Amino acid sequence: MHQFEKLKIWQKSMDIAEKIYRISAELPNDERYNLISQIKRCAVSIPSNIAEGSGRNSKKEFVQFLGIANGSSFELITQLMLLKRLNIIQEEKIQQLIDDLVEICNMNFALQRRLSQSTAQS
């Protein structure tokens, strides 16, 4: 359906996933199998679901996968807020990631709306 690599939302979510992997290296080892694993899975889920949805057979299915990606975005925001509350990592690093994730969520909602409108018009 789409060339997902060209979608700005996919590109930005890949940037976030990369940043999450880099920040994860700074987290305490005792979180390796808990929070580190969870935030990595969420971060990878966002661009993965965008890519998978773009390859589906219909715009309706694409919208569904965008919804899953958005859920992962909100989950990741929550986990980053927890890192901030626990003072595990510098607030500046976390806040920039949260801001980037909010931007991705806004892009996601706009894309879902556009796809849903074009589906309704078809």
Side-chain angles (χ1 to χ4, degrees), residues 44-105:
V44 170
S45 175
I46 300 166
S48 296
N49 277 292
I50 293 167
E52 184 173 356
S54 73
R56 291 297 174 142
N57 295 323
S58 70
K59 290 178 183 178
K60 185 177 178 181
E61 286 180 289
F62 191 6
V63 168
Q64 179 182 355
F65 278 88
L66 288 172
I68 295 167
N70 228 26
S72 294
S73 298
F74 282 105
E75 187 177 352
L76 183 54
I77 288 170
T78 299
Q79 293 157 0
L80 292 172
M81 287 177 167
L82 180 59
L83 288 174
K84 188 165 65 170
R85 287 177 78 162
L86 295 172
N87 295 314
I88 293 177
I89 200 152
Q90 296 170 351
E91 184 174 344
E92 303 81 42
K93 290 182 182 181
I94 297 298
Q95 193 55 55
Q96 184 56 56
L97 282 168
I98 291 171
D99 293 346
D100 292 345
L101 282 161
V102 168
E103 180 184 4
I104 285 174
C105 289

Side-chain angles (χ1 to χ4, degrees), residues 106-119:
N106 290 335
M107 293 171 72
N108 191 325
F109 284 130
L111 181 55
Q112 286 181 56
R113 189 170 40 253
R114 203 166 53 246
L115 288 169
S116 294
Q117 287 171 348
S118 69
T119 301

